[in-house]
Amino acid sequence: MTEVLETEPVRAAGPAEPTAGAGRRVRLGWPGTLALGFVLICLLIALLVPFLPLAEPNEQDLGDTLARYSADHLLGTDQLGRDLLARLLWAIRTSLFAGLTAIVVATLIGLPTGMLAGYRRGWFDTVSARIADVVLTVPALVLLLTVHTALRTGITGQMVTLGVIFAPRIYRVMRAETIRVATMPYLLAGRMSGCSHVRILWRYLLPGIRAQVRVQVSYLLGLSLLIEAGISFLGVGVESPDASLGTMLSGAAAMLASDARVVLIPAAVLSLLILSLNVIGDIESEGERRG
Amino acid sequence: MASEPGQTVLTVDNVTVELDRPHESTPLVTDVSFAVRRGEMVGMVGESGSGKSLTASAVAGLLPRGVRLARGAVEIDGRAAGTDATARTRHDGVAMVFQNPMTSLNPSMRVGDQVAEAIRLRRPGTSRRDARREAVEVLERVEITRPAERARQYPFEFSGGMRQRVMIAISIAHRPSVLVADEPTTALDVTVQRGVMDLLDRLRADMGLAVLLVSHDLALVGERCDRLLVMYAGELVEQGETENVLRRPLHPYVRALQRCTPEHAIAAGGLYSLPGRVPQAGEVRTGCRFAARCELRTAECDETHPTLDAYAPGHLVRCVHVGRPEQDHHHERRAEGGV
């Protein structure tokens, strides 16, 4: 009797649904599906835009400014006669790549240091936590303006700087998560099996905190898109005439009263993108809380 | 339970574990010495806080953060292990099974891969394929049905008893000579408990494993172990053959412990409760650590800290009253071979 009880595999009702780290799926619901769909479409656009049969985004046609929708210009033209669709799609590419640059830098700094601090504790934890505190006190905009003025590194440099500013946020969350997972006896069991510390971090700790990485990445990607737009609007990010969601807004801001369309289209795309990323982040963190 | 007396594979010599603080020493485990032979199962019992789990961790070289091996040495297969005071690294030749099987497996790795990992890490050069095949064999050895199929599953697909078997598989995968089992069945159902203990017993016999079984269950260790170590407040108070320790306990603490078991309660018509509690770390005083709760307490108990002395060969006890005439009629002296 007991043998039978013991050897029966314990399965949840329905198909085996892996939990905790084993590729667990979060239920998206329709807002999540829409949001994820929109983000994926934007990513696809970002990747494919050089290969699409589009007008030259920076080519001006001062004889045909603020044109309405036509077969030549599906979304019309802006105040300098540039094709709005081409500019919009290139802007999505520029802005997303800029945002991703910041996220990649932030994750590359924040994730390993956070994991190490939470796992090792001791002096490394103390020192890195203080550094994180210091970085967090620096106002992002002021630093970005300074870097632009002093170094003139262009949008990539600005986004790397932003990544450094974001790194402490990722660091803090990852440190806290690591401390939580590090108390799990399976880490000790892994040590007993002969795992090195690196292997423990990689195969035992990282899967346990992956969900939180996704949460942070979605939130911070939305935030960096907003900041990219902000600094490009101010002229310290992407430089005109190149199209980004920020430069499109700044160039057309004066048109708001006369031809709002030129402003509203990039603004709507930017807002939707940020909203979608936040919705995804919310769903991820909700799923994480429910465990 | 009779096993051929093999050679000694685990020697614990004056192991002292302290809180890892720079300028003070708060001993949690004091001068624990014992030895375990090949194919022998030795039980370590004591209340919560008596230091038995810490001793077990020290043996496996898996002391938690915040404590350190202050003095003493652990010798496995005749080789010194972890003599470095700050060493928190695992010891070769020892494996450990933990208390809670629900949390001691990596939830994000297939069960077979976890066993294979243990094999490959200890025997570098083993191909992935060989390790996987061997992992299935080990799973079969711990009596998991359809091992090849189950090796591809994740821990959440296993019940508690099955997970503990997997944990045992991981620990024996690299063929250690010593297995430390820290309350391996405490978190399991009584019925499942028996199966896991039978398995440990079989592995001990088949592989010649030396098993150190940490438990607070006197009945369990009494049934399974060849010898017993009784700990109190971080030190050994009695050590000897299971039969001697349980039938003719010498230390007043062990006698009190026995009176706390339900079996005794039925005979005595009520459950005895030992008054007081195990002293906290750091509040250890001069004299006998058990004196405050002891029925036999005298002035001498408060003054001198008793040493662990042989009452009979292989039967050691830490009590000033043992060997006194007023005590001796409780025990028949028996000279028996022991360590």
Side-chain angles (χ1 to χ4, degrees), chain A residues 119 191-192 199 204, chain B residues 65 90 96 106 117 122:
Chain A
Y119 182 64
R191 288 293 294 157
M192 186 209 71
R199 197 179 172 88
Y204 286 68
Chain B
R65 204 190 301 277
R90 75 216 142 63
M96 191 161 173
N106 185 346
E117 178 182 58
R122 297 296 183 119

Side-chain angles (χ1 to χ4, degrees), chain B residues 114-124 126 131 134-135 138 173-174:
Chain B
Q114 293 189 51
V115 182
E117 178 182 58
I119 294 169
R120 289 190 65 199
L121 288 171
R122 297 296 183 119
R123 265 188 287 129
T126 314
E134 214 176 310
V138 179
H174 67 279

Side-chain angles (χ1 to χ4, degrees), chain A residues 98-148:
Chain A
L100 285 172
T101 307
I103 292 304
V104 167
V105 170
T107 310
L108 281 182
I109 300 173
L111 180 62
T113 50
M115 284 178 73
L116 209 56
Y119 182 64
R120 282 273 322 268
R121 310 300 297 268
W123 67 267
F124 182 80
D125 188 23
T126 316
V127 171
S128 58
R130 291 297 147 267
I131 294 172
D133 287 347
V134 170
V135 176
L136 275 173
T137 60
V138 178
L141 200 55
V142 173
L143 185 66
L144 289 170
L145 286 169
T146 314
V147 168
H148 174 78

Side-chain angles (χ1 to χ4, degrees), chain A residues 2-3 5-12 16-23 118-122 182 184-197 199 203-205 207-208 210, chain B residues 62 65 88-90 94-98 100 103-109 113-114 117-118 121-122 143 145-146 150 153-154 156-159 161-162 165 167 170-171 174 191-192 195-196:
Chain A
T2 61
E3 281 306 302
L5 279 177
E6 268 189 78
T7 50
E8 272 311 301
V10 179
R11 269 180 203 277
E17 209 172 342
T19 53
Y119 182 64
R120 282 273 322 268
R121 310 300 297 268
M184 293 293 188
Y186 67 81
L187 264 78
L188 204 60
R191 288 293 294 157
M192 186 209 71
S193 292
C195 292
S196 64
H197 287 295
R199 197 179 172 88
R203 296 210 64 173
Y204 286 68
L205 265 170
R210 241 176 354 208
Chain B
L62 291 169
R65 204 190 301 277
R88 257 195 280 278
T89 50
R90 75 216 142 63
V94 196
M96 191 161 173
V97 174
F98 304 96
N100 192 346
T103 50
S104 49
L105 296 176
N106 185 346
S108 59
M109 258 170 99
D113 290 347
Q114 293 189 51
E117 178 182 58
L121 288 171
R122 297 296 183 119
E143 290 148 16
T145 48
R146 294 175 285 118
R150 307 230 55 188
Q153 294 179 334
Y154 286 95
F156 76 93
E157 296 170 82
F158 285 68
S159 66
M162 285 292 122
R165 283 170 193 267
M167 186 66 228
I170 291 172
S171 58
H174 67 279
T191 48
V192 180
V196 171

Side-chain angles (χ1 to χ4, degrees), chain B residues 278-324:
Chain B
V278 180
Q280 296 284 301
E283 68 174 84
V284 172
R285 25 178 238 134
T286 55
C288 177
R289 293 182 184 180
F290 184 62
R293 305 168 78 184
C294 188
E295 295 175 329
L296 305 174
R297 181 179 183 178
T298 58
E300 194 184 355
C301 297
D302 291 324
E303 283 154 18
T304 53
H305 182 230
T307 50
L308 191 65
D309 293 321
Y311 169 81
H315 197 169
L316 280 64
V317 64
R318 190 188 293 277
C319 179
V320 293
H321 298 290
V322 171
R324 299 290 169 82

